[in-house]
Each structure stands twice: as structure tokens, then as C-alpha cells.
Amino acid sequence: MAASARRLCHIAFHVQPEQPLARDLQRFFGFQPLAAREGDGWRQLALRSGDAIFLVNEGAGPGDPLYGLDSRHAVPSAANLCFDVDDATAAARALTARGCCLQVPPVIMQDAHGAATYTVVNSPVGHLSLTLLERPGYCGPFLPGFGPVPSVPGSCWVTHVDHLTLACSPGSSPTLMHWFQDCLGFRHLPLSPGEDPEVGLEVTAGVGRGGLRLTALHTPVNSAVPTLVLAESLPGASSGKDQVEQFLDRNQGPGLQHVGLYTLDIMEATERVAAAGGQLLMPPEAYYQQPGKESQILAAGHEPSRLAQRGILLDGDQGKFLLQIFTKSLFPEDTFFLELIQRQGATGFGQGNIRALWQSVQEQAARCRRT
């Protein structure tokens, strides 16, 4: 293991000036401005909801934005994941020894609130880069080089990032899994009993409809890193492309497909997003008409008609349940979306839930293509 990721600091996005990502995160999803920086042709704005921090980089300066890399990608999308590590310089040496390409060697940044050291490495996932950050005792609003910005008072309904889902090329999951294990200290997290880490969880969508392969990774329990989920399409679809294949086309390669944001009250969060004008993905009515679905929802303590009205998905058993809902893409290019998730005792991703979610999203996509 070359480095051990201890915490997710932030998720960075590159967008063109006037692209409304920062505005939409505030307006629809309750994020608040945290800190900002302008310089070298870049405007960088960090937004926060609970412990979830998104860094929106606008522009394209002559150099790289602080704490990241200007990948000059053709479409707006998630560009960088930043993880806290104990020693960024030692991590850089270890990653180099493993053959990793350092795009930004260790850099020390400091201001009146303290210092931080960071390095940026290419990841094996398309244009997505990874920043390894060391910031012992830093007490500023975000990171050195950023100044505080006024925030608008408001309630926050997201507590932290629950998981990060990477859309991967077919057959690449084992290679990516070993890279994250060897380089950042992730471990395989079985999604079903006796799961082979080289195979992952295969979720078939029916004859002639292909399916999905999921491989989950997590870090030791004393860290604060979200679960990493690798998603790739299974062969077998007779017509059309599933959402992973569509993402690969629109993103021009693998990347961060969506971020799961944890909420303590998904009903309230969903109502607030809808009231603000945020666009949520509504599953087909057939999802709630599955045999046993109504009793399952009641067993979880919820009203079936209310969940159906809001489009909230639920699955689980033996007193452990997951509630989830997806947003529509935050970019016109359909390269990134959010998920709101609430856990009632469930700690992983149940196989039945994954299959139901996959099928409902596929059916919704097919319905949109017909209209």
C-alpha cells in the first residue's frame, strides 16, 4: 500500500464561466458557500452541506487550479477527488515507486491559518485525478489560499458523502480494484455473501437486457472515506445502451458518475429539493406495484403512497432498509448526478435493492427515449 486515504476532503468539478453548477448546488440542494479564491484565470468556490464539500473550478487559466489539475476535458464533469493522508510527501514517493504518474509534485501552501501539503496523481479512471492532502492543524475556513465568503442562513439536510460511484469500462473493475487497494488502502466490501472480489456483484436485468457489475471498496473503520463503488455494464443487452454505457459515451470515458449524499430524513430532503425546483428522477409506477413492495414499505415505517408520490425507492428486510432517490443530471451533457440516501440499519447495498434500482432507472430511461 503506497498511501492510506484517511478522509474525503472534497470533490472538484471543472466548468465554464456562467455554468450554473455552483448556483444549482445552493438553490436546489442546500449547499452553502464556504470559501473562494480567484487567480491565474480560475475562480474556485468551495460549497458545503454537512461534511460534504464540492469545489467548483470555473475557467481555464494558464496553470492548474489550486489542489487540482486542469485536465482540459471536453465536457463538464467531476474532475478530482481529494483525500486527506498522513504524509503527502511520503505518499508521493511511494506512488512514484509503484509507477504512478505524479501530475503535481508535493506543493506546500500556507496562510495565516496554517499550512498544507498536497500532491496530484493520475488515477486509472479516465481523466479523473486524485489529490492527496496533508493539513495537520490547519484552522482556516477551507484550505490555504482560500478566503471566507458570506453564506446565506439556511438549513442543511445532507450530513456527509455516503458513497462515490465510478462508471468503468467493461472488464476494468478488477484492475481498478487492485489499484485502489495497492495505492490508497481500500479493501473489498462484499455486496453479497461469498462474493468473489474479482467478479463483484452481477445484477442481471433480464433476458436480452444486459445488466450491471458492481464492486464496492471501503477503507478501515477508523477513517472517514466514503464507500467507493465501481460500476460496469454486463454484455447481453439486445438493444439500446444502459446508463453506464451512456455515461461512458457522454463523458468520453470512465469517470465519477454520481455521488450519494446521506440524509437523516429523505422525505424532508426530497420535498425541499422539489420545492426549490430541483429535478428528481421518478421511477415507473410499476416499481411500487411489485409483489410485497407495499408490505415492505410499511414494515420500514413509511406510507407507500407518500414514497410513490415523491419517487423514493426502498428495499431491505429483517428490520434493515435503504431509501434512495436520484436527481437528474446536473449538466446538460448528462455526465453527473446526485443521489440522496437514508439508511435505516442497512450498512451495505442489498442485492434486491440494487436490482430494483437498476431496472427502475433503465425503464425510466427507455420511457424518456420514447417520448
Side-chain angles (χ1 to χ4, degrees), residues 81 83 163-166 180 186 215-218 226-230:
L81 299 176
F83 296 102
H163 61 275
L164 306 163
T165 296
L166 304 176
F180 281 101
F186 282 82
T215 305
L217 302 168
H218 66 164
T227 300
L228 191 65
V229 182
L230 309 177

Side-chain angles (χ1 to χ4, degrees), residues 10 12-14 36-45 55-58 61 63-70 80 82 104 107-111 116 118-120 129 131 133 138 142-147:
H10 64 261
F13 302 81
H14 286 358
R37 169 188 177 266
E38 291 195 34
D40 303 323
W42 292 93
R43 181 179 185 272
Q44 298 181 263
L45 176 64
L55 177 60
V56 179
N57 300 318
E58 294 183 2
D64 294 322
L66 279 185
Y67 306 100
L69 178 70
D70 180 11
N80 177 275
C82 179
V104 179
V107 176
I108 299 176
M109 296 293 302
Q110 60 184 35
D111 60 20
Y118 75 93
T119 186
V120 183
S129 63
T131 295
L133 174 71
Y138 184 75
F142 178 48
L143 292 171
F146 283 75

